[in-house]
Amino acid sequence: MDKLQVKFPYDIRDVDAETNAELLEYFKGESTGFVQVGPEGYFFPHKYKAQAKHYYNFKARPDDIWISTVPRSGTTWTQEMIWLLANGLDYDQAQQRPLTDRFPFFEGSLVIDDAFKAELLAENKDAGCVEHISRPRNEALDSLPSTQRRFIKTHFPFSLMPPSVFENKCKIIYVERNPKDVAVSYYHLNRLFRNFGYIGDFERYWRYFQNGLNSWLPYYSHVKEAKGHRKLPNVLFLKYEDMLIDLRGTVKRIGDFLGCMPNEDEIEKLLNHLSIKNFRQNKSVNMNQMSAVGLLNEGEASFVRRGGDPNQSDQQEFLDNPNLLKMANDWIQQNL
């Protein structure tokens, strides 16, 4: 190993054989299996074992802007807000370049299994597009010129992020969302994306979610780590529910945090851009390019669902199952 690299500090262990076999039965996008990491047991596809040290040794730059969340916590919505505020509200460029290019997903290639990648390559005449979405984004980020500011999305908890992010005091924005809403939204994402390929019902999925058996979980370990860092001057901790109630206030908080506060007219235009109606129709953020290469299953809920609408909860699956709702509420109460 390169002498300049920091040794990855956590153990990475295979999920027990019986659980692994069950998960492979219900998550059809993964062919190898899963691992758990460190004392909290953070859950990832098996390929994380080989790539962990590369992610951990990524060289952050002082002007990088990071967003970290548990999946389905308003990440995409917040990314678009951050990118526009930090780039002078350049709507033209935001429309021309997909958010996945403007604000790449640091470890996104972890959930593109090698067997599934081969399947996509066989289905697509344009192999370059498949190679692009499956290429480790840390490599692509390294190749960007030092004069270009980098915007980086991660679902890694703070303990698994590169230490250089904290050493260089990069700006980090973390968003927390109600775990029941997260679980419902993540369930639909796992059904929508073929690289997850979940085929079970929601009740089964909730049991996996509650036990931390899906990528980037356990939920409460993830959130508690972020809360432990929230007083750092380079960390902004947001709650998704507060964003729904007062998006204008959130825009001002982020603008102040990044040192790029828009005027009132600019804020009004940005709020209109971020409205759920416009957001759903925005091809730059709604995974239109992923659909084009066959990454999405037909007949499932869209990538942008109810997020951004303060009048709609994302908990219908719980309301339809009172026993499951009680189980979830008891679990939440135990963790408060």
Side-chain angles (χ1 to χ4, degrees), residues 79-96:
Q79 282 176 265
E80 181 76 346
M81 193 186 319
I82 293 168
W83 190 91
L84 283 166
L85 285 168
N87 285 277
L89 300 173
D90 189 346
Y91 294 101
D92 290 339
Q93 188 178 172
Q95 288 295 319
Q96 293 166 14

Side-chain angles (χ1 to χ4, degrees), residues 304-322:
V304 179
R305 298 182 64 245
R306 299 174 183 172
D309 188 343
N311 300 311
Q312 294 191 50
S313 172
D314 214 356
Q315 299 183 15
Q316 189 60 48
E317 280 77 0
F318 288 106
L319 299 177
D320 293 339
N321 190 333

Side-chain angles (χ1 to χ4, degrees), residues 57-105:
N57 279 277
F58 176 77
K59 301 303 180 185
R61 301 171 185 170
D63 66 342
D64 288 345
I65 296 178
W66 291 69
I67 182 170
S68 171
T69 66
V70 174
R72 308 307 285 171
S73 296
T75 319
T76 305
W77 199 38
T78 314
Q79 282 176 265
E80 181 76 346
M81 193 186 319
I82 293 168
W83 190 91
L84 283 166
L85 285 168
N87 285 277
L89 300 173
D90 189 346
Y91 294 101
D92 290 339
Q93 188 178 172
Q95 288 295 319
Q96 293 166 14
R97 296 176 59 206
L99 185 62
T100 50
D101 288 343
R102 291 182 279 125
F103 214 132
F105 185 6

Side-chain angles (χ1 to χ4, degrees), residues 114-303:
D114 290 343
F116 178 67
K117 176 184 174 181
E119 187 177 332
L120 279 182
L121 285 169
E123 294 173 0
N124 284 273
K125 294 180 180 179
D126 183 6
C129 188
V130 176
E131 293 291 349
H132 176 70
I133 65 173
S134 60
R135 179 189 178 191
R137 302 308 290 170
N138 55 312
E139 296 177 4
L141 286 161
D142 273 335
S143 69
L144 292 178
S146 59
T147 54
Q148 181 177 339
R149 191 172 201 178
R150 302 184 302 187
F151 297 81
I152 305 172
K153 162 190 167 181
T154 184
H155 291 313
F156 281 152
F158 279 30
S159 61
L160 298 184
M161 289 172 65
S164 59
V165 174
F166 300 95
E167 292 164 1
N168 288 317
K169 296 181 173 56
C170 301
K171 297 283 188 180
I172 308 168
I173 295 172
Y174 188 92
V175 186
E176 175 192 6
R177 186 183 186 187
N178 179 295
K180 288 185 290 186
D181 284 349
V182 168
V184 172
S185 187
Y186 203 13
Y187 160 73
H188 285 289
L189 182 86
N190 274 253
R191 294 186 64 87
L192 173 65
F193 276 74
R194 290 172 58 197
N195 54 305
F196 290 104
Y198 180 67
I199 62 170
D201 61 16
F202 180 73
E203 184 168 348
R204 175 181 292 276
Y205 181 82
W206 171 257
R207 292 200 300 272
Y208 295 147
F209 183 92
Q210 183 172 315
N211 290 305
L213 297 177
N214 203 352
S215 292
W216 298 285
L217 301 178
Y219 171 88
Y220 276 110
S221 298
H222 201 294
V223 172
K224 287 175 182 176
E225 281 194 23
K227 286 183 175 178
H229 290 78
R230 66 192 304 176
K231 292 185 179 180
L232 293 177
N234 62 312
V235 174
L236 178 63
F237 188 96
L238 301 173
K239 288 194 173 185
Y240 178 76
E241 290 74 21
D242 293 341
M243 295 169 63
L244 291 179
I245 294 169
D246 184 15
L247 186 58
R248 180 184 299 273
T250 300
V251 167
K252 290 182 176 180
R253 285 189 69 189
I254 293 176
D256 182 62
F257 179 67
L258 298 179
C260 46
M261 183 68 73
N263 62 40
E264 288 300 321
D265 289 341
E266 291 170 334
I267 289 176
E268 201 61 40
K269 184 176 180 180
L270 180 57
L271 294 178
N272 182 62
H273 176 81
L274 295 170
S275 71
I276 187 59
K277 178 182 177 182
N278 290 332
F279 210 64
R280 282 199 186 106
Q281 296 172 355
N282 186 344
K283 292 183 179 180
S284 175
V285 302
N286 64 16
M287 294 295 167
N288 188 62
Q289 74 276 25
M290 300 300 180
S291 178
V293 297
L295 195 63
L296 309 185
N297 278 314
E298 295 182 2
E300 297 293 341
S302 62
F303 177 73

